[in-house]
Amino acid sequence: MKRTLMLVGVVAVVLAGTPAAQAPKFSVDPSWPKIPDKWLFGWVASVSIDADDHAWILQRPSTLEPNEKARAAPPVLEFDAAGNFLRAWGGPGAGYDWPASEHGVYIDHKGFVWIGGNGPKDHQILKFTKDGTFVMQIGKAGQSKGNSDTQNLNQPADTFVHAKTNELFVADGYGNRRIIVFDADTGKFKRMWGAFGNKPTDDAPNPASADAEERGASQFVQPVHAARVSNDGLVYVSDRGGKRVQVFTIDGKYVNQVFIGRECRAPQCGNGQTAASTTFSTDPEQRFLYVGNRSQAKVMVLDRAALSVLDSFGQSGSKPGEFGTLHHMAADSKGNLYVTEVTPLSPANRRVQKFQLISR
């Protein structure tokens, strides 16, 4: 049994028989962040939180209307926890292939900034310092040879660096259907896998059907949208097209899965895709797993160990606390959630929202 309390600006998840203090409870902050007046956001693709609890935002200037582009903000922006603007950079430059469509940003434990894109020829991952100095590129634009290619990506959706092994996990992504792992310092290929730990292939059907089999497709269903590694060494893969989160060891051995909104069907339910992103609660055990549910426009709260859905919050719309097309999300050290939107709504939800954790 569960019940949900709806307060003004607050969504409280309360489990029957569970002390309220143990349940996540969030309040949306409609004033966050403070974007400089001279700039406008396009679609906000991704967010990552660094060791100082600064939020790094990746947005798409190319999605602005023609009459707005003179005010386009740079693709990469840094804000402090209070939402104050700190710096911005990004875009084409010498020595690297900037993505045609910015998609994922991640700040690793050493303070490096990783960026990927989902444009047709975005077959690369970029690594920068926090001040925007180029460090390394993995892959080359327009050079992907498919799921067996260990040198190039194919529209990589997101990245995550596992500090204990210093390995870069890439959700690869929109063109491919795999998780691929590289050494985060050298870019050297380490390993890769598909759904259930299967070898990722280019075989038909591509994309596979999320509902063709009772346990889901034997390959990930594009887009493979995000990957996150927990403190206890489990990899949580957002198989957005497959409407599920699959769990693996860091070596790619399949552990378990949970379907997210499997009843969701296009066109009555968006594009029929759900599990867009995950993040963990920031207690030492990472008790809760948060899943961004794209087409059903809500953040779902799961018991991470049991993979059981406890509750959810959000609905489709443009008001604070509502979501257009929910995309990536992250959590800071205090347990606050940050959620980005790339939306077809009019007016567009070109924003990142902060949900402050009131108590758990």
Side-chain angles (χ1 to χ4, degrees):
M1 292 290 293
K2 61 189 177 185
R3 59 192 178 91
T4 302
L5 301 180
M6 299 298 296
L7 308 174
V8 178
V10 179
V11 182
V13 181
V14 181
L15 308 182
T18 302
Q22 295 182 8
K25 190 187 302 183
F26 296 94
S27 174
V28 65
D29 181 353
S31 66
W32 195 98
K34 303 174 181 68
I35 305 170
D37 291 339
K38 63 182 178 179
W39 284 338
L40 292 174
F41 277 178
W43 292 2
V44 183
S46 193
V47 57
S48 184
I49 308 299
D50 69 16
D52 298 315
D53 273 347
H54 292 178
W56 290 76
I57 310 302
L58 183 67
Q59 60 93 26
R60 299 174 182 167
S62 63
T63 60
L64 288 168
E65 296 297 325
N67 65 326
E68 298 175 318
K69 289 192 175 181
R71 296 181 60 198
V76 181
L77 301 99
E78 179 187 5
F79 296 87
D80 67 17
N84 298 307
F85 169 74
L86 299 176
R87 60 179 153 186
W89 50 266
Y96 59 85
D97 301 312
W98 187 262
S101 176
E102 295 87 353
H103 196 279
V105 64
Y106 181 73
I107 316 302
D108 69 21
H109 61 292
K110 296 180 180 180
F112 290 110
V113 182
W114 297 85
I115 291 171
N118 68 328
K121 295 184 178 181
D122 289 342
H123 299 166
Q124 72 280 7
I125 289 289
L126 303 179
K127 181 180 182 181
F128 296 89
T129 63
K130 284 186 174 181
D131 65 4
T133 301
F134 172 65
V135 177
M136 182 173 67
Q137 177 169 319
I138 302 174
K140 296 181 179 180
Q143 297 298 309
S144 173
K145 299 173 180 63
N147 281 280
S148 63
D149 189 346
T150 60
Q151 303 301 310
N152 300 287
L153 295 307
N154 194 344
Q155 299 173 272
D158 201 22
T159 58
F160 182 92
V161 177
H162 183 44
K164 292 180 181 178
T165 60
N166 196 44
E167 291 179 326
L168 174 73
F169 288 75
V170 183
D172 183 39
Y174 276 79
N176 286 331
R177 45 187 179 184
R178 64 183 181 177
I179 297 298
I180 187 167
V181 184
F182 300 93
D183 182 278
D185 287 338
T186 67
K188 181 181 178 181
F189 167 75
K190 303 289 288 289
R191 59 192 174 277
M192 62 182 173
W193 67 86
F196 300 104
N198 295 332
K199 178 181 178 181
T201 71
D202 299 314
D203 296 342
N206 188 9
S209 169
D211 303 305
E213 305 171 44
E214 182 177 352
R215 71 171 193 160
S218 59
Q219 292 287 344
F220 291 130
V221 184
Q222 288 104 324
V224 189
H225 210 249
R228 293 289 180 266
V229 185
S230 61
N231 292 339
D232 52 5
L234 294 174
V235 184
Y236 291 76
V237 177
S238 299
D239 184 13
R240 194 181 94 179
K243 296 188 280 192
R244 62 191 173 186
V245 174
Q246 287 204 329
V247 187
F248 303 86
T249 67
I250 60 172
D251 293 322
K253 180 180 178 181
Y254 172 73
V255 176
N256 205 349
Q257 70 176 0
V258 58
F259 285 100
I260 302 297
R262 201 175 191 188
E263 73 282 359
C264 181
R265 300 283 193 280
Q268 296 84 3
C269 180
N271 69 351
Q273 299 179 355
T274 59
S277 52
T278 63
T279 194
F280 309 110
S281 59
T282 47
D283 54 288
E285 298 79 19
Q286 296 181 321
R287 177 183 172 190
F288 299 105
L289 175 70
Y290 303 110
V291 180
N293 183 332
R294 178 197 190 278
S295 291
Q296 294 182 322
K298 55 189 175 182
V299 174
M300 305 186 72
V301 183
L302 280 68
D303 180 286
R304 187 172 72 87
L307 287 184
S308 56
V309 178
L310 304 178
D311 220 310
S312 63
F313 63 86
Q315 63 183 17
S316 181
S318 299
K319 296 177 182 177
E322 299 178 339
F323 302 110
T325 302
L326 185 155
H327 209 241
H328 280 167
M329 64 180 179
D332 66 21
S333 67
K334 296 179 175 61
N336 304 313
L337 295 180
Y338 301 77
V339 184
T340 68
E341 295 172 73
V342 291
T343 177
L345 291 181
S346 181
N349 292 4
R350 302 181 307 204
R351 63 186 181 183
V352 54
Q353 295 192 81
K354 179 178 181 179
F355 293 86
Q356 186 170 344
L357 179 66
I358 299 173
S359 64
R360 65 164 63 93

